[in-house]
Amino acid sequence: MSAGIDLDNICCDFGKFRAVDHVNVNIQPGEFFSFLGPSGCGKTTILRMISGFTDPTEGMIRIGGKDVKGQRPNQRPTALIFQNLALFPLMPIWENIAFGLEVRGVDKVTRRKKAEELLALVDLHDSADKMVSQLSGGQKQRVAIARALAVEPAVMLLDEPLSALDLKLRQHMRAELRAIQKRTGVTFIYITHDQGEALAMSDRVGVMSQGRLQQVSNPRDIYNNPVNGFVASFVGENNILTGDIGTRADGMASFATKLGTFRARIADGVTKGKLYVRPEFMSLQAKPGAENSVPVTLTEVAFEGNFISVHAVTEGGFDMVAELRNDGTGTVPQAGTKMHMAFDARSAAILPDSDTAGA
Amino acid sequence: MHDLFRRYGMGLTYTFVGLTAFWLLVLVILPDFKLLEASFRPYLPIVDVGGPKDTYSFNNYMQIFGNEVDFNSFGLHFEIPARIKVFVLTIFYSAVVTLVTFLLAYPLCFYLAKVASNRSLPTLFLLLFVPLWVSEVLRSFAWYIILTLKGPLNAFLMAIGAIEKEIRWVEGYSPVVITLVYAYVLFMVFPLYNAMQSLDNNQLEAAEDLGAPWWKIHWRIVLPHSKPGIASGAVMVFMLSAGSLLVPAIINSTTGNWFTQTIQGIMMEGQDWNAGAAFAFMLLLFCTVAVTVAMRVFRVKLSDIAK
């Protein structure tokens, strides 16, 4: 049983500070949805409003189509996984997992059986009688997931649950979480500030800044077609050029900068903005291209293995970055050489800054 | 020790350690040891001290027996030596005091630790502390006044129509229990507050999120977490109550003798320090046993209390 969630124009104020500002989004049943944003952007507040610990100042939250206004967290079909997991240190693992069943009056034998099933589901056999302190970080993580799954929630809410783990385990748990979500079919709402995590796991990502939802889309669109400068910068690196928008045609526009005039994609309605192009969409050429190329001097070339990171400076002293794929031929450009950096007009975009309350 | 030398130098370190040792040895252990030794010797005229009659025995301890009186409360009725009756009732009512302080302190501490805003905390703690600035003697007398037959408590209860005739509060053990609760409740509040304060709020929210009603959250999360605080508060309140002389001396009714008053009577009025010491050590021993048993029953370790 999984349920969709509709956030209908919700706002949340803490005193004079507006933490969440008119957020609208419909999350489908069984979807893996991530809220991505820097700390303080309001994503945790959204999670707390869905779980019932915080009330929205305005707007309506529907879980499975039903308005949940006035329902306490213990009455909602949601299960929250806390950033610090909040496992109960004084109970053995199986009692932790079965706690939700215990409060529902399930008898001890059934509880124990269910706890062991869930431990098997999260690949933690033979840990039922251990204490929380005896487990490693990744194991605690799984116990927290099992404890949340035990109450058979329609929606799982995860508040940066992987942030305390080391890199390797984090990447492993990403795949694990995704697999558990697929297996159980429960709607997952995932909060993170790590764009890699959000892009790798989610069906859709909502990028937030200053309480406002900037863009909701699938990971590919978020990365390749960000709607504004904030989204573009938050989910990856960019070369950013300032200038003025010139003539437009067929969703493309010319853009006059100090380094010359470029051509890039532009959305309707954008009248002011900067040109964004990601380092991996840049190429190095010996000769100037037909369009969108800049003469540069390479300042630093770092061979990173799977790619080569090239820093360069233009004649006006402007820094540019390119990431070149290591194609295995062994050609690595040398620092100090003069070359041309170029990019395809379709891989660059002219974007407004970001959607804030004032703008 | 090595660290102390390095940090404070030889002179200061020896002064610190020496003073502490002096305090512990000369001011605490030696007098107690002297009393312990005296408790096994008979009370003799000064000329006989050190003479042939001055031998070690348990005679002082045996004085607790004898002088049988009726025990007639809690639906029980039997004959019991008067001093044992006082002894048992002292232990029992000290336990009652401990339980009542816990029942009062628990909601208060939970409010202070988890509900009250950080801004109002200093004020609330000040309100708790202010009564401590008044001496225990005055506070005990204050309760004596409150509880007297024509006192404010009866006047108030009659004014609101809760009772028709004055209640005799100063009777049996209730005035001592009430006043001891008032005198020592803070010794329960502080360790309990500290314990609850260290509980992660996420634990409470996680329990609620998993569907637990409020009482279940307290029973399964808050109470187990607070156990060391409860234990250390309970030991303090129990020991202080059982050993309190001032409060029962001021407020006691004739029907509610405290064992410390028995000891005081023997030592000060009877001038029999030997028997007094024996009784005092019995009280200490029995309180220690009671605390140890209680700790076993509630599965608390000594190291939890020391935290």
Side-chain angles (χ1 to χ4, degrees), chain A residues 174-185:
Chain A
R174 273 185 202 174
E176 196 99 329
L177 270 179
R178 183 71 193 164
I180 290 170
Q181 195 260 341
K182 283 267 176 287
R183 227 176 300 158
T184 56

Side-chain angles (χ1 to χ4, degrees), chain A residues 48 53 72-74 79-80 82 84 87-90 95 102 104 147, chain B residues 200 202-203 205-213 216 220-221 224-225:
Chain A
R48 291 180 66 82
F53 288 110
R72 295 288 310 154
N74 52 17
L80 176 58
F82 290 78
N84 69 354
L87 297 176
F88 306 130
L90 301 175
E95 281 187 31
E102 185 188 327
R104 283 163 177 75
R147 185 177 71 175
Chain B
D200 177 13
N202 285 348
Q203 299 258 316
E205 292 192 340
E208 185 177 2
D209 190 59
L210 291 168
K216 191 90 187 176
R220 288 290 270 147
I221 312 292
H225 179 88

Side-chain angles (χ1 to χ4, degrees), chain B residues 1-10 13:
Chain B
M1 202 69 176
H2 186 74
D3 283 345
L4 285 179
F5 276 136
R6 226 186 28 210
R7 190 175 295 181
Y8 299 109
M10 198 82 110
T13 307

Side-chain angles (χ1 to χ4, degrees), chain A residues 65-325:
Chain A
K66 281 198 284 282
D67 185 3
V68 292
K69 190 176 162 64
Q71 283 184 14
R72 295 288 310 154
N74 52 17
Q75 299 165 320
R76 298 192 183 191
T78 57
L80 176 58
I81 295 183
F82 290 78
Q83 191 165 4
N84 69 354
L85 305 180
L87 297 176
F88 306 130
L90 301 175
M91 299 180 199
I93 299 305
W94 81 268
E95 281 187 31
N96 258 282
I97 293 172
F99 185 79
L101 304 173
E102 185 188 327
V103 303
R104 283 163 177 75
V106 176
D107 70 278
K108 193 169 174 179
V109 177
T110 318
R111 280 191 336 243
R112 173 88 196 196
K113 197 165 150 270
K114 181 83 187 175
E116 276 172 5
E117 278 171 29
L118 284 160
L119 278 171
L121 178 78
V122 296
D123 255 340
L124 261 187
H125 309 271
D126 307 325
S127 297
D129 293 305
K130 287 189 184 157
M131 295 306 279
V132 175
S133 55
Q134 289 169 282
L135 301 189
S136 69
Q139 289 172 325
K140 286 180 193 168
Q141 193 72 58
R142 291 159 204 241
V143 173
I145 294 164
R147 185 177 71 175
L149 285 173
V151 299
E152 292 175 5
V155 181
M156 281 269 263
L157 307 165
L158 301 95
D159 187 4
E160 307 211 21
L162 304 187
S163 57
L165 304 180
D166 59 57
L167 183 68
K168 202 139 198 175
L169 198 52
R170 204 151 67 219
Q171 282 169 346
H172 176 70
M173 285 307 291
R174 273 185 202 174
E176 196 99 329
L177 270 179
R178 183 71 193 164
I180 290 170
Q181 195 260 341
K182 283 267 176 287
R183 227 176 300 158
T184 56
V186 173
T187 314
F188 269 45
I189 298 181
Y190 193 90
I191 295 289
T192 182
H193 63 266
D194 180 325
Q195 77 282 0
E197 230 167 78
L199 298 179
M201 292 196 289
S202 318
D203 294 318
R204 280 193 303 161
V205 178
V207 183
M208 287 194 71
S209 168
Q210 295 174 32
R212 291 175 81 91
L213 202 50
Q214 306 290 329
Q215 184 173 5
V216 177
S217 196
N218 62 54
R220 202 195 59 224
D221 261 0
I222 294 279
Y223 192 83
N224 289 342
N225 301 313
V227 294
N228 61 41
F230 175 82
V231 177
S233 303
F234 198 78
V235 298
E237 300 295 319
N238 296 282
N239 291 292
I240 304 170
L241 302 172
T242 50
D244 298 306
I245 299 168
T247 51
R248 25 172 122 202
D250 302 331
M252 307 292 281
S254 69
F255 193 73
T257 74
K258 284 181 188 157
L259 301 174
T261 300
F262 299 98
R263 224 160 56 82
R265 285 180 288 120
I266 191 164
D268 294 339
V270 177
T271 53
K272 228 175 122 241
K274 299 189 181 104
L275 188 147
Y276 290 78
V277 52
R278 298 204 182 281
E280 67 268 30
F281 299 155
M282 305 288 268
S283 60
L284 277 184
Q285 299 166 354
K287 301 224 162 59
E291 61 166 10
N292 291 349
S293 86
V294 196
V296 294
T297 310
L298 307 192
T299 52
E300 199 188 317
V301 178
F303 181 75
E304 304 261 2
N306 56 341
F307 68 94
I308 302 152
S309 163
V310 178
H311 285 253
V313 63
T314 65
E315 276 155 28
F318 188 79
D319 289 317
M320 303 277 274
V321 189
E323 277 177 13
L324 309 175
R325 210 168 66 81

Side-chain angles (χ1 to χ4, degrees), chain B residues 4 44 53 61 80 93-94 101 131 146 168 217 224 246 304:
Chain B
L4 285 179
L44 297 168
K53 288 189 203 159
Y61 288 86
I80 188 171
Y93 282 109
S94 296
T101 51
I146 293 170
R168 189 175 290 281
I217 297 175
L246 188 125
D304 293 337

Side-chain angles (χ1 to χ4, degrees), chain B residues 10-25:
Chain B
M10 198 82 110
L12 266 183
T13 307
Y14 276 125
T15 314
F16 289 155
V17 175
L19 284 174
T20 311
F22 176 81
W23 171 71
L24 206 64
L25 263 171

